[in-house]
Amino acid sequence: MAYTEEINKRRTFAIISHPDAGKTTLTEKLLLFGGAIQTAGAVKSNKIRKTATSDFMEIEKQRGISVATSVMGFRYNNVQVNLLDTPGHKDFAEDTYRTLTAVDSVILVVDCAKGVEAQTERLMEVCRMRNTPVIIFVNKMDREGKNPFDLLDELEEKLSIKVRPLSWPISMGSTFKGVYNLYDKSLLLFNPNKTKIEEDIVAVENIDDELLDEQVGEDEAKQLREDVTLIEGVYDPFTQEPYLAGNIAPVFFGSAINNFGVKELLDTFIRISPKPGARPTDKREVEPEENNFSGFVFKIHANLDPRHRDRIAFLRVCSGKFERNKFYHHVRLDKDFRFSSPASFMAQEKSIIEEAFPGDVIGLYDTGNFKIGDTLTEGEDLLFKGIPSFSPEIFKELINTDPMKSKQLEKGIEQLTDEGVAQLFTQSSGSKRIVGTVGELQFEVIQYRLLHEYGASCRFEPRSIHKACWFTSDDRAQLEKFLDVKSQYIAYDKDRNAVFLAESPFLLQMAIDQYPAVTFHFTSEFKRDT
Ligand code: G4P
């Protein structure tokens, strides 16, 4: 098998959370442990302030910084860890979903007081769709939070996944003493500490060791023994397979800001998380060990300098070895390209690489040839699956406000939607363009970027559309009837697939009932299957 050694030592993952649970803080601490950054605060600026909805400087700043922080690579215990950044702001959720297609596992951060929040649930749904292995980190144990048993129940119930605690907190908030590691049977003592990265680990023989009473106090030790007995009685022993299959999520407790429980999390992550695995395509599964290179683009980042329209396409290597200056086949365009300055991202540094292996993410300079989801191979005609578009949630009609600049507007909106900023639908009449996004912020970003990068001005008119769904049918007559009757609600996506723009849940249900031979799809993924 080719490249097995390289593949085995790679771990590519993302940290996800509802905003404010501590994703940025945890990211930073992991980078500190990995030696990728020396001081805390280095990645702090990597997020749009949650309150800002129209602060363009912030958006620009976010775009600038996130090129460097889109991938944060570091080495830890001889493992190449590739941490892919996901935007915290909910309006960029689609960007996060796409990034999740490029990882092999995730760490989900939950605030111990808030428990499962709206975005935690949605992100987890995306993980479940692909059976992505998940480790849960319950953060902020230095604050009063929910009872840990209640929290585990909540995680299981709201995230529809079985959980298995691997560490257990000893009290919390102002009386937080630390955690007992159920896996290693060691005790980790809590010392509020925002700068050091060492941890106080006390080796205890087992849960009955008297050292425990000495270290955390008799009452706490008694409570811990009761809790552990309960846990061992309720939960099956942890094994790796159900975790790797996405059926069980191991749970850790800690406090990212205090560097507490982070090393334990990272060590376990390195030990149990999956190495780069096989990936589905429209033709067959691609194994990472295959000799031939293949990979797909999951993110496109525009150049910050509006005078240069080149972009960086982020490609996840799925098989074989990528080499600089070698020709690769762009399957959608049926054209060959080579890349003279592919970039890798170690820590906060971007540098040109000669080669890359499965699990790696590389940045390719692009002058407009790439779209999200594009596949590169050594000639084989296949397309990676699992990079779907979801139905947008907000729809607006794009109105050109400067007829002299229609060409620029056309080009701008095409390119921005290639980047995945939003989805573009053209209505059957041919002239109306509907832009669909998951958040209001995108419309502001689009308007701003069209003006500053393409010199085109526009405005948006709200359209009352509930969902855009794709549809297929084997029953030609019924399909044609549907197209005819619903013609004013039919539009086409950028790949010329017909889309039904349902105005309300009621009208969508009516269409589903009235046209039983028509199948409605709520992600664009079906395209690859047909
Ligand atoms: P996010 O990326 O998920 O949005 O969360 P982020 O890491 O920015 O953390 C959100 C807030 O929670 C920050 O406070 C951060 O300092 C705090 N935080 C993170 N981990 C812990 C923890 O273990 N314990 C406690 N008590 N707080 C934690 P902030 O006030 O919003 O920002 P800052 O002023 O501290 O920078």
Side-chain angles (χ1 to χ4, degrees):
M1 288 282 207
Y3 318 122
T4 308
E5 204 180 313
E6 294 292 341
I7 296 164
N8 286 349
K9 62 181 188 213
R10 278 169 170 74
R11 297 289 183 278
T12 303
F13 78 112
I15 303 180
I16 54 176
S17 77
H18 188 90
D20 254 355
K23 181 174 79 75
T24 313
T25 312
L26 181 64
T27 301
E28 192 167 271
K29 303 297 169 168
L30 292 177
L31 294 180
L32 275 171
F33 279 110
I37 54 170
Q38 269 63 49
T39 51
V43 279
K44 196 68 209 165
S45 46
N46 175 35
K47 57 178 179 179
I48 298 180
R49 291 246 62 96
K50 291 140 208 155
T51 48
T53 50
S54 55
D55 186 342
F56 294 117
M57 281 318 289
E58 282 300 326
I59 295 172
E60 289 297 285
K61 218 159 77 194
Q62 155 93 8
R63 288 178 49 211
I65 292 161
S66 62
V67 171
T69 55
S70 288
V71 192
M72 292 164 277
F74 62 93
R75 277 196 174 260
Y76 184 76
N77 288 350
N78 205 25
V79 170
Q80 170 66 35
V81 183
N82 297 317
L83 168 53
L84 307 199
D85 189 37
T86 54
H89 199 289
K90 77 167 176 32
D91 285 7
F92 291 95
E94 184 119 359
D95 215 17
T96 301
Y97 302 156
R98 281 192 299 254
T99 298
L100 293 182
T101 63
V103 302
D104 298 302
S105 71
V106 306
I107 293 179
L108 173 67
V109 185
V110 175
D111 181 324
C112 72
K114 296 196 180 133
V116 174
E117 298 174 83
Q119 212 150 310
T120 332
E121 280 185 66
R122 296 190 55 178
L123 289 163
M124 189 64 204
E125 258 170 50
V126 178
C127 294
R128 270 203 318 271
M129 272 165 57
R130 297 193 195 91
N131 302 319
T132 309
V134 177
I135 295 180
I136 300 175
F137 182 72
V138 178
N139 191 26
K140 307 197 187 180
M141 291 305 294
D142 57 318
R143 286 198 186 155
E144 294 303 327
K146 299 187 178 186
N147 170 299
F149 281 108
D150 292 345
L151 200 57
L152 291 184
D153 287 346
E154 184 179 332
L155 290 168
E156 286 208 333
E157 198 179 302
K158 290 200 178 155
L159 301 180
S160 308
I161 187 162
K162 281 189 160 175
V163 297
R164 174 46 159 119
L166 288 189
S167 76
W168 194 252
I170 305 165
S171 191
M172 64 170 69
S174 55
T175 55
F176 185 46
K177 293 281 171 10
V179 294
Y180 178 72
N181 188 316
L182 295 157
Y183 194 77
D184 299 344
K185 315 242 179 299
S186 60
L187 178 68
L188 194 57
L189 291 176
F190 177 64
N191 272 323
N193 163 11
K194 297 195 179 162
T195 47
K196 270 201 340 200
I197 58 171
E198 298 89 48
E199 296 184 327
D200 287 340
I201 298 176
V202 179
V204 285
E205 283 286 316
N206 55 41
I207 190 76
D208 296 318
D209 196 329
E210 281 178 10
L211 198 55
L212 210 61
D213 303 67
E214 270 171 42
Q215 295 287 343
V216 302
E218 273 176 33
D219 289 350
E220 262 89 3
K222 182 165 172 271
Q223 181 68 48
L224 177 67
R225 287 188 186 110
E226 281 174 25
D227 288 353
V228 171
T229 310
L230 192 59
I231 293 163
E232 304 299 355
V234 171
Y235 296 97
D236 290 334
F238 175 75
T239 51
Q240 203 178 357
E241 296 80 68
Y243 154 68
L244 292 178
N247 295 329
I248 280 197
V251 181
F252 287 88
F253 293 83
S255 167
I257 196 114
N258 292 297
N259 288 312
F260 185 77
V262 176
K263 182 168 183 297
E264 183 183 41
L265 173 74
L266 182 58
D267 286 339
T268 312
F269 168 78
I270 298 288
R271 196 167 59 221
I272 68 171
S273 67
K275 60 182 191 192
R279 302 235 143 206
T281 71
D282 58 344
K283 303 273 164 35
R284 61 185 186 85
E285 286 244 307
V286 169
E287 296 288 339
E289 287 89 358
E290 290 178 18
N291 270 320
N292 287 341
F293 158 78
S294 67
F296 66 88
V297 172
F298 64 94
K299 178 176 181 134
I300 292 177
H301 212 290
N303 197 318
L304 253 198
D305 183 345
R307 286 166 305 173
H308 297 108
R309 249 184 237 141
D310 56 343
R311 317 183 280 189
I312 296 181
F314 288 87
L315 176 130
R316 145 114 194 185
V317 180
C318 296
S319 68
K321 177 163 84 163
F322 173 91
E323 287 173 77
R324 184 165 90 93
N325 277 329
K326 193 168 165 181
F327 276 99
Y328 291 116
H329 188 60
H330 186 311
V331 177
R332 180 178 57 87
L333 298 182
D334 193 18
K335 257 169 126 173
D336 291 349
F337 290 91
R338 66 181 177 151
F339 305 92
S340 60
S341 41
S344 82
F345 307 84
M346 276 298 276
Q348 307 256 292
E349 299 289 313
K350 201 165 85 203
S351 55
I352 293 192
I353 47 131
E354 293 299 325
E355 55 185 31
F357 295 95
D360 284 342
V361 169
I362 51 179
L364 304 174
Y365 286 95
D366 171 40
T367 48
N369 294 311
F370 284 118
K371 254 175 41 170
I372 302 258
D374 278 346
T375 297
L376 285 184
T377 66
E378 290 199 27
E380 194 174 347
D381 177 18
L382 51 80
L383 289 168
F384 282 95
K385 297 207 299 185
I387 314 119
S389 297
F390 293 84
S391 172
E393 282 160 27
I394 307 172
F395 298 84
K396 293 188 185 186
E397 189 178 335
L398 175 73
I399 314 271
N400 185 1
T401 51
D402 182 356
M404 303 295 288
K405 297 278 170 64
S406 336
K407 269 221 169 89
Q408 285 87 332
L409 184 75
E410 201 72 41
K411 183 163 183 193
I413 196 70
E414 283 291 327
Q415 291 204 347
L416 293 185
T417 45
D418 277 355
E419 265 178 45
V421 178
Q423 290 181 57
L424 183 65
F425 304 103
T426 309
Q427 268 204 300
S428 23
S429 58
S431 55
K432 277 196 179 145
R433 273 157 316 174
I434 314 285
V435 175
T437 70
V438 289
E440 281 292 343
L441 192 54
Q442 263 95 337
F443 291 103
E444 297 180 36
V445 173
I446 293 168
Q447 207 171 21
Y448 178 85
R449 289 187 58 190
L450 282 174
L451 187 64
H452 287 82
E453 292 169 34
Y454 299 87
S457 47
C458 71
R459 65 187 166 81
F460 287 103
E461 255 175 33
R463 291 282 305 262
S464 61
I465 297 168
H466 159 66
K467 253 194 170 63
C469 46
W470 292 265
F471 51 90
T472 47
S473 179
D474 293 332
D475 183 339
R476 218 180 155 73
Q478 195 170 98
L479 186 64
E480 271 169 21
K481 183 166 175 236
F482 176 72
L483 283 167
D484 186 41
V485 174
K486 299 285 180 193
S487 65
Q488 75 185 106
Y489 304 106
I490 303 295
Y492 292 86
D493 70 10
K494 289 184 80 175
D495 298 326
R496 299 293 304 155
N497 289 294
V499 175
F500 174 48
L501 304 175
E503 286 191 300
S504 67
F506 174 74
L507 288 172
L508 176 60
Q509 193 53 50
M510 241 173 72
I512 294 171
D513 295 343
Q514 278 177 353
Y515 300 90
V518 177
T519 313
F520 294 86
H521 310 273
F522 297 95
T523 76
S524 62
E525 191 72 89
F526 76 94
K527 289 185 222 168
R528 302 273 158 88
D529 297 328
T530 50

